[in-house]
Structure formats: structure tokens, C-alpha cells
Amino acid sequence: MNLTKSIPTALVTCLCLLLSLSSCGPKQVEEINIGYIGPLSVRAVDLGVDPSNAMQLAIDQYNANRADGEPKINLFIEDDQWNPKNAIPVYNKLREEHNVEIVFVSNTNSNIRLQEKILEDGVILVNPLNNGKQLNVLNKNTFQVAKDTEQANGLIAIRIIELGLKKVALFQFPNVYMTRASEEVERLLDNANIEIHVVPTEVGQTTFKKQLEQLKSEEHDAYVFFGYKEFGFAMKEARDMGITAPFFGSTVLLDPEFYNNSEGAIIGTEYPFFTPADGNRILVNEFLADFEKQFNKKPVSVWPTMQAYDATNLVLSRVRTINQSKDVDSPFDDWLRESLLKVNYYQGICGNIAIKKEGGSKGIYFSLYKYDSKENPIVKVKR
């Protein structure tokens, strides 16, 4: 027997066996594709452009610092123009071209339209802007890491009650979010025996003179504008016809086009908002510095940008563990859903966030602010 030849042969055989056994182990997840659907043009761009930038920043930071065994994350962005009719086409594009397994969707109406699709595809949907009763009853693959619709907009009703106002006109944009906001204000004012007249409007409507003339004749002493930049025209028309009653608005008042359309009539409007002072100031300041460094600008509206950053990082904190915590036979959406539902304390820039059993979040709380001037539109209301 030639011992010198048999030893290398045995070593080769052992190495081949080891390689064969290792190849039978669970395959590592090396990359995960995430999609974002939001308004980059037409309407409510402050709810889309900077939030998508914040998501890209979070993902860039994650990829630059990820450890061995943690998957690379890729982000793909689509513009829905804040129109729910575009939700399914752009979602299908993200699935067909990039096979996204997680999709962030800002528009509440779009969330509703995508419910069947995400279940069929085993995709997890995250809303990084809106949260509340309407979204919390959607399917098991839908999550919200955001403000509470009822809490934020209820501040307007509470303020009207504090001021002793008795007859309120509320202009409502026809989408789910503004409808839920209006219903919450109406509920609280009804409980306080305050008269409220909800004024329905149309998408793209730019003149409101007929409605305003009627409301003026009825002597309403408060005007609430729950809608987007087109309501700036309504503010201007109201002031031009001599309506001096106080104005109240929603969380989207800082769209620059809102001010432009109002020609300054927006000044003095009180609205719910979220600033660094409402969150973790130290973490927020670090985020804003990083944001400005990467994109050479500050966010137009800070709250949707901050929420998108938190929502992305919270999801990434779960995804980074996939190769250690996911059973090889478990579907991706089942694994991520169960992982997200275990989040009880996540220290974000907006606050300490928990995920409730129905998929909504808690821990982000808005305050009341005033549009003081074009240069200084965010001033906390003293109460």
C-alpha cells in the first residue's frame, strides 16, 4: 500500500464531503428589495419627495454598516401622484421589475386598493405617514408606523372647544384620510354640542366662492380646511369676501403651494404638526444633519420625513436578523409579520414606538402649531 498517495486522496475525499454537506444547509438571504409608492409630483409632494429621501438615507446607512450575514437592501421608488388609481399599476411595476417583498405606501386610499394584491403576493405593506382606525382593520400584512389620525386631527376640535367657538364650517377633501380626520372632529364637536357643517369638495377644485358666500351668510365663527394645496384658494377667497373667523388646517399645511395659492391668507391658521421638540431631539438633530449633508437641503415638512425614517429603520431592525431568525420553510411575509408584531419598544427619532396587535403603532404624538409667517410657519400654540 502506498501511504504517501492514499493520504492526499483521503483528504480530498473529506473536503468534497464537507463541501457537499455545507451546500445542503439553508441558503443565506443576500438581498431584499423594498419599494416605495408616494407622491413625487402633482399633489402633496411634501408627503413623498422628502420621505423617499429619508428612506434612502436610512437604507444607505444600513448598507454601509451591515454586519456579515445581514442582507443588502435595495430601494425602488415610484410616483403615484397622490392618486389611488395609480396604486396597482405602480405596485405591479415594482413587483415585475424588482420583485419587492416589502412596499411602503403613503396614501391611505392606495393602501386599501392594494389589500388583495399584497396577500396574493406575500408582500408586507407599511404606511409610514398615516395610522388609525381605518387602517387598523385592513389585512394582516398591513402595518402603520406613523401618527394616529384621530389623535392628530382631534386637536383641532379640542382647540375649537377651548376657544368657545360655536358654529364651524369644515371643508373636506374627498379621500379616506381627510374623511377620517373630519369624522373625528365632527364626533368631538357633536359631543360638545357645537354645530358643524361639513362642506364636501371635489378633487382639483380651485374656486369655492359659492360655498363661502352661503357659509358667510350663516355666520360661521370657525373655518377648518382638511385638504391639500387647492384649499389655499379657498382661504384667499374667504378673506377677500370679508370672512374674519379663525382658520384651522390639517397636517399638510406646509406644502409651499398651499401658501402661494392662499397669497398669504394662510397666515394665522392653526394646525396639528410634529417637530423635533415633539420627538427625541438629540436623535432628530443627528438625522436632520445627515439628511442635509446627503441631499443638500432641509426637508420641506419635517414630520412625514421623520416618520418615514423611523418606519424604514424599524423594518430594517427586523430584516437584518433574517438569516439568524427565519426558519427556512417559513414564507417571508409570515416571518416578517410575526417579527414586527414583537416590536414593543423601538427608540426612533419620533419617540418610543411599539406595534399593536392589529398592526398599527403607538408612540408618535402631534401638538398644535400656528402658521405665523412665510418665513416662520411653525410656531407652537400657547394654550
Side-chain angles (χ1 to χ4, degrees):
M1 178 178 179
N2 190 333
L3 190 60
T4 58
K5 290 184 178 180
S6 64
I7 290 174
T9 303
L11 286 173
V12 171
T13 302
C14 288
L15 287 172
C16 289
L17 180 61
L18 287 171
L19 287 171
S20 175
L21 288 172
S22 64
S23 68
C24 294
K27 186 178 180 181
Q28 294 275 293
V29 176
E30 296 183 358
E31 292 189 78
I32 294 175
N33 291 341
I34 294 178
Y36 173 69
I37 298 172
L40 308 182
S41 64
V42 180
R43 178 179 291 108
V45 293
D46 57 316
L47 303 182
V49 175
D50 286 333
S52 66
N53 286 338
M55 290 184 64
Q56 188 65 66
L57 174 61
I59 289 170
D60 289 347
Q61 291 171 336
Y62 165 88
N63 283 332
N65 296 286
R66 65 192 175 94
D68 290 341
E70 295 179 346
K72 179 185 177 183
I73 306 299
N74 304 306
L75 177 66
F76 301 95
I77 299 168
E78 290 294 333
D79 180 14
D80 69 351
Q81 302 179 339
W82 205 241
N83 186 339
K85 292 181 180 179
N86 296 327
I88 290 178
V90 296
Y91 169 83
N92 286 339
K93 182 180 178 183
L94 287 168
R95 286 287 296 166
E96 291 165 5
E97 296 184 4
H98 307 294
N99 193 32
V100 298
E101 296 183 271
I102 306 167
V103 61
F104 286 67
V105 184
S106 297
N107 191 307
T108 298
N109 291 58
S110 296
N111 283 213
I112 294 169
R113 290 198 178 208
L114 289 172
Q115 290 301 290
E116 289 187 16
K117 297 289 292 181
I118 62 171
L119 275 185
E120 289 173 5
D121 297 340
V123 168
I124 294 293
L125 185 154
V126 180
N127 189 317
L129 297 188
N130 299 322
N131 178 21
K133 294 176 181 177
Q134 182 73 28
L135 289 169
N136 288 339
V137 298
L138 299 181
N139 75 47
K140 63 182 181 179
N141 279 17
T142 301
F143 288 82
Q144 306 91 49
V145 183
K147 69 180 183 300
D148 183 284
T149 300
E150 285 75 25
Q151 183 273 329
N153 294 287
L155 292 171
I156 296 300
I158 294 169
R159 180 60 170 163
I160 288 170
I161 294 167
E162 287 177 349
L163 294 173
L165 303 172
K166 297 298 182 184
K167 195 171 184 179
V168 179
L170 189 154
F171 285 76
Q172 177 189 301
F173 185 87
N175 68 5
V176 172
Y177 176 76
M178 293 302 177
T179 300
R180 288 296 305 133
S182 300
E183 288 172 351
E184 179 64 9
V185 169
E186 189 172 9
R187 182 185 71 82
L188 292 172
L189 293 183
D190 282 344
N191 289 343
N193 296 315
I194 294 173
E195 184 179 345
I196 178 168
H197 178 189
V198 176
V199 183
T201 64
E202 298 178 3
V203 175
Q205 184 175 343
T206 58
T207 182
F208 305 84
K209 288 182 179 179
K210 186 174 182 180
Q211 292 127 310
L212 287 166
E213 287 170 355
Q214 180 65 33
L215 295 168
K216 182 183 179 183
S217 69
E218 296 168 354
E219 299 183 339
H220 288 75
D221 58 5
Y223 286 75
V224 180
F225 298 94
F226 276 176
Y228 304 95
K229 62 183 181 181
E230 293 87 353
F231 282 6
F233 294 119
M235 292 178 170
K236 173 68 164 57
E237 290 174 341
R239 293 302 189 225
D240 283 350
M241 65 177 61
I243 293 173
T244 60
F247 287 169
F248 301 90
S250 70
T251 55
V252 300
L253 226 62
L254 290 198
D255 181 344
E257 289 302 307
F258 216 130
Y259 178 91
N260 293 339
N261 292 342
S262 80
E263 298 183 33
I266 195 174
I267 290 174
T269 302
E270 295 185 8
Y271 59 100
F273 204 67
F274 192 92
T275 70
D278 296 304
N280 186 320
R281 184 183 290 272
I282 295 174
L283 294 181
V284 174
N285 289 340
E286 291 177 0
F287 159 69
L288 292 175
D290 290 340
F291 185 97
E292 190 168 2
K293 181 179 179 180
Q294 180 151 333
F295 301 107
N296 296 313
K297 65 168 189 171
K298 295 179 180 179
V300 171
S301 184
V302 71
W303 73 261
T305 311
M306 289 169 60
Q307 285 188 179
Y309 186 73
D310 267 354
T312 306
N313 276 318
L314 187 150
V315 171
L316 292 177
S317 73
R318 305 289 94 190
V319 166
R320 71 167 63 246
T321 71
I322 188 169
N323 288 319
Q324 292 76 44
S325 61
K326 181 181 175 296
D327 184 274
V328 67
D329 296 321
S330 298
F332 177 84
D333 59 329
D334 287 349
W335 167 79
L336 183 54
R337 182 192 319 110
E338 294 306 312
S339 184
L340 288 171
L341 289 172
K342 292 176 183 176
V343 175
N344 190 42
Y345 179 95
Y346 175 81
Q347 187 179 50
I349 60 175
C350 294
N352 298 323
I353 301 170
I355 302 295
K356 299 181 288 186
K357 63 181 181 180
E358 63 272 18
S361 64
K362 59 180 180 179
I364 302 174
Y365 302 108
F366 273 46
S367 300
L368 196 65
Y369 288 84
K370 181 175 71 171
Y371 204 114
D372 196 56
S373 67
K374 184 177 182 180
E375 298 70 28
N376 190 24
I378 311 172
V379 176
K380 197 160 190 174
V381 173
K382 295 180 181 179
R383 300 161 66 188

